[in-house]
Structure formats: structure tokens, C-alpha cells
Amino acid sequence: MCAVAALALALGVIPAAAAASTVTVLKDARLIDGTGTPPREHTTLVIEGERITAVGPASMATPAGAQVVDLAGKTVMPGLISDHSHLGLVDGTRADGANATVANIERQLRQFEAYGVTTVMSLGLNGPVFYQLRPQAHAGTLAGSDMFGADRGIGVEGGAPPVKVQPDQLYRPDTPEQARQDVREMAARHTDLVKLWLDDFHGTLPARMSPEVYKAVIDEAHAQHLRVAAHVYYLEDAKRLVADGVDILAHGVRDRPVDQAFIDAMKVHGTWYIPTLGLDESFYLFAEQPQLLDQPFVAHALQPPLRQQLASPDWRQATLAKSADIATNRQSLATNEHNLKTLYDAGGKIGFGTDSGATPLRVPGFAEHRELKLLTDAGLTPLQAIQLATQSAAGLLGLSDRGVLAPGKRADFVVLADDPTQDIGAVDRIDAVWHRGREVSGAVTAFQP
């Protein structure tokens, strides 16, 4: 189909296969296709079913009977893809594995979708409900974003991750053989990735995963044809993991600047890097910028109990009183931004994620839009940031059917009122979200969390 569509584009016509059935034609849009190339003005997209069948000039012929949507002055960009989020942990102001209900996960998937995040990787802490819903999400019978996941994931007793979860949402093996058995169980359930946590969360946890255990996780996962993502903070941990074959660093290095040896190792091993810049900022963002709550785009992402908490002067005062913690988190963000730009400029493989849904302060949908701004704060152009969140994020997940708007790809995209390549804040001005070739959501101010 791609070759046929390419020929049609050259001739300025729509493929006959599309003309033979009902199609949707989006006319005269500004197109950001996700590849990093500059926007194309006055562009038409043709959609049949869930797929884009043609992309061409506004002058393309329109088949009889097609539904035509005039997007003059609007911008179309691919749906965002989160390589690192969590589903079912947060409800209101609480993070607890008991929140992993069908209703809560469905609510979060609808929220992600309404904010233009059309694909989500739930990177660990997933129980049976995840496997109940994933086939429906893939089939398009479940409202909201498409979902992938890293099963339970593997931590260490007395250490990371320091979260309250159910017994069927996390493994904490003591020995390499237990770790191998845990990986085999996850493989039998057809997990998409394997996740491990090994650090001590800023020295706040008494235990760390031993090299023998995490090496066993990586080795067994690769034997099962699965890739491994690791939660990291420290450069030395990241270096050891890359040397031992980890496939994805699920957070940025934040304790000190990366060095050339690390950069070279990342490139040699082809390791992916998800910076999650907003993770550390989330601890103080709403306390320092309470005016965010006055913005409808933000307010509509917050469940009422969370909105009430964030608006409380007592909560804000208590948060700001932790000045040492804020200083540490602020420095972590600055180091993360520096390291991201260094790796990006060196040609590293960079994904996109926020850890949204891991705590109440990492708000699904809003966190991804905030991450785009932080990427530009780090020195990337808006177009580069968008490419990371679309084409590159799809590449990390091995998804060749999305992340780019081109013939043969899924019709997952966001319609914006303005051009985000001129102002990244324009990604917040959503007119509509299309998923699988259908308009599924309008302006997010109409969404209720």
C-alpha cells in the first residue's frame, strides 16, 4: 500500500482502493509528520478504516462520498507515545496497587487519549487486570489509549520500588535462580518488556539489588527474547547495566554529568534512554506554581481530590518547607537536562516518557505535555522534542505502525489550533484527538477526569 500511495501522491490523486469505499479526507492542514522534517503547509490526509492511505497537497482530488474535514489553519501531528508510564496505581491522592481496577485503568486510558497520548507503556507493577484489558486495547474495543506493559517487574526486598502493591504486582527475588524463574513466569504471560529496579532512591532505602540478581534478570530475559528496562539514577549503575546488556535505561542519569565512556558504551550496545525530565520536577512544580491550577488544560487533568489537595495552602506550605529535598530535585532535573542534550547531540537513542501515573503528582496526559516543554528547556527544538515523543518513542517500543503520519500507518493523531514548532506550548491547544482513524475526543477542557 505504501508504494501505491506514494505513486498517488506523485500524481496528486487518491488511490483507487480508497475511492472504492468510504474514506475520510482531512484537508488543508499543517502537517508535522513525526520524522523531524519541517511542517508541510496545506496538506491533505486520506484515511480508510484505521490507516492513512494517502498524504498529499490540498489540491488532491476528493472521491465522491468521502467525509471531508476542513483543517485550514490547524496543525496535525502524530499522537504522543509514552514509553514510561504506569496504569492503575493512582486514584485521587493515593498511590496503591489496590487501585488497579478495571474502572480506574479505563479512566486513565481515556485521560491519556484525551490529552493526545494514544499509546502507553505501563512500565511495571501490572497485575491480572492489565492482561484482562490489553487485548481489548489492542483490538480497539476498549475506549482510550492503546496499552503495553512490563508485567510485574523485579525489585529487591527492603529496597526499590518503595511502593504499596499487591503480591501479584511485583517480584522481589532473593537469588539469581528465583529471578530467572520470575522472568520465565512473565515470559509465559507474554509481557512486552521486563522491568527491574536496583538503586536506593537517593539513599533512602536500605537495600539494593545485587549484580548477580540483575545480571540473571537480563540474561534470562534475553534467553526468552525479551528486552529489559531498568530504573536508574546514578551514572555508575547505568554504566554497569549497559555493560551487562540492559536494553533500556528507564530514567535519565541525574547524579552527575555523563562522560564519553558512557556515551560510547550506549552507542556500541544500542541502549535506549528515557530521560523522564518531569519526574523530579513533579515533586515541587504545583507547590511553586499554584497558578497552573487556574489553567483549564491543567485543571481538567486533575481528579477532584487531587485538585483540592494541590489548592490547599497547607499542602503548599508543607511541600515548600522541604527545601533540601526541593534543592536536590531541582539539581537532578538540571543534570538530567544536561545529560539528555549531551546524549542527543551524540546521536544516542532517546525515547519519551514521564513516569506518569506512578504518583499522584505525575498526572497522565499533563505530564507528557510538560515533558515536551522540559525537552525544549534542555535545548532541543520543538520539532526535535515532538520527534522524540512520536517516531522515536515508537521505535523504542518496536512499533513500526505508528509514530509517523504517512501512508500505511495508523491514523493516530492530534489536531492543534496552532503550530507547536513555533511555540511548544501550542501542544496544549488541542482541537481534537483522532485514534484508529476516528475522532475520539475534542478539546480537553471538555474532559472530566
Side-chain angles (χ1 to χ4, degrees):
M1 181 177 292
C2 290
V4 173
L7 177 61
L9 173 57
L11 299 175
V13 298
I14 292 173
S21 60
T22 301
V23 296
T24 302
V25 178
L26 309 180
K27 294 189 69 71
D28 205 19
R30 177 185 302 107
L31 178 67
I32 299 172
D33 66 8
T35 65
T37 58
R40 294 155 59 181
E41 301 289 341
H42 308 295
T43 302
T44 289
L45 289 85
V46 182
I47 300 169
E48 182 176 4
E50 298 183 355
R51 303 279 170 169
I52 298 169
T53 56
V55 178
S59 59
M60 286 175 66
T62 302
Q67 176 188 3
V68 178
V69 181
D70 186 358
L71 294 181
K74 309 294 185 183
T75 300
V76 174
M77 61 172 277
L80 302 177
I81 296 172
S82 174
D83 294 325
H84 188 165
S85 293
H86 292 277
L87 294 169
L89 287 180
V90 170
D91 192 11
T93 61
R94 294 188 313 113
D96 188 324
N99 292 329
T101 64
V102 169
N104 193 38
I105 293 176
E106 287 182 336
R107 176 190 63 81
Q108 291 179 333
L109 291 172
R110 291 194 301 271
Q111 177 158 323
F112 275 118
E113 184 183 68
Y115 279 74
V117 186
T118 50
T119 299
V120 174
M121 163 59 73
S122 184
L123 202 58
L125 308 177
N126 301 301
V129 177
F130 167 81
Y131 286 103
Q132 176 184 341
L133 296 179
R134 185 178 63 172
Q136 300 173 45
H138 287 349
T141 58
L142 183 71
S145 299
D146 197 3
M147 62 187 285
F148 296 83
D151 201 274
R152 302 179 189 181
I154 295 181
V156 58
E157 197 66 45
V163 292
K164 184 179 180 182
V165 293
Q166 303 299 307
D168 58 4
Q169 293 172 322
L170 178 66
Y171 289 110
R172 295 190 188 268
D174 293 324
T175 67
E177 185 47 47
Q178 287 177 353
R180 288 181 180 277
Q181 178 58 33
D182 295 341
V183 171
R184 289 192 286 267
E185 290 181 9
M186 290 189 283
R189 289 191 289 268
H190 304 291
T191 183
D192 298 299
L193 291 173
V194 171
K195 170 76 174 289
L196 65 83
W197 293 260
L198 63 84
D199 69 72
D200 59 6
F201 279 56
H202 294 261
T204 61
L205 301 175
R208 291 171 55 90
M209 184 178 291
S210 70
E212 292 77 19
V213 169
Y214 77 69
K215 287 179 182 180
V217 171
I218 295 170
D219 183 65
E220 186 62 37
H222 289 173
Q224 299 292 332
H225 307 291
L226 291 168
R227 294 182 299 155
V228 181
H231 175 109
V232 296
Y233 180 88
Y234 303 106
L235 176 59
E236 288 308 311
D237 283 343
K239 283 183 173 182
R240 285 193 292 268
L241 284 162
V242 171
D244 289 328
V246 80
D247 303 282
I248 302 163
L249 296 178
H251 295 290
V253 171
R254 289 162 281 161
D255 65 323
R256 55 194 175 96
V258 296
D259 56 26
Q260 192 61 47
F262 177 70
I263 295 169
D264 292 343
M266 290 279 288
K267 295 178 73 172
V268 168
H269 290 274
T271 313
W272 282 91
Y273 187 88
I274 310 174
T276 61
L277 299 174
L279 182 156
D280 295 289
E281 187 197 49
S282 69
F283 290 111
Y284 59 84
L285 175 64
F286 289 104
E288 288 194 342
Q289 299 186 37
Q291 68 274 15
L292 286 171
L293 303 180
D294 298 328
Q295 299 179 15
F297 182 84
V298 180
H300 281 268
L302 306 176
Q303 291 178 275
L306 179 59
R307 192 182 311 143
Q308 182 178 1
Q309 174 183 287
L310 299 181
S312 165
D314 291 341
W315 176 86
R316 182 170 179 249
Q317 182 179 6
T319 301
L320 295 176
K322 302 174 184 177
S323 56
D325 290 344
I326 290 176
T328 297
N329 290 321
R330 198 186 304 280
Q331 182 58 53
S332 294
L333 171 58
T335 302
N336 202 356
E337 290 179 337
H338 169 83
N339 288 340
L340 161 67
K341 185 63 162 58
T342 299
L343 286 164
Y344 184 90
D345 290 345
K349 298 168 69 173
I350 314 294
F352 180 80
T354 64
D355 210 17
S356 52
T359 78
L361 298 178
R362 297 174 201 156
V363 182
F366 166 72
E368 284 69 32
H369 285 250
R370 182 70 183 178
E371 188 78 6
L372 288 170
K373 179 186 182 301
L374 293 175
L375 288 170
T376 63
D377 288 348
L380 273 61
T381 69
L383 196 59
Q384 290 170 334
I386 291 169
Q387 183 184 14
L388 289 190
T390 55
Q391 182 186 50
S392 188
L396 182 147
L397 296 179
L399 300 174
S400 61
D401 63 344
R402 66 197 80 184
V404 170
L405 299 181
K409 304 294 186 181
R410 282 168 53 127
D412 295 351
F413 57 85
V414 186
V415 181
L416 304 172
D418 300 299
D419 182 0
T421 66
Q422 301 302 310
D423 169 19
I424 195 62
V427 296
D428 297 352
R429 297 188 280 279
I430 295 175
D431 269 9
V433 177
W434 289 61
H435 191 190
R436 295 178 177 270
R438 297 187 301 109
E439 182 176 349
V440 294
S441 178
V444 295
T445 51
F447 175 77
Q448 293 298 325

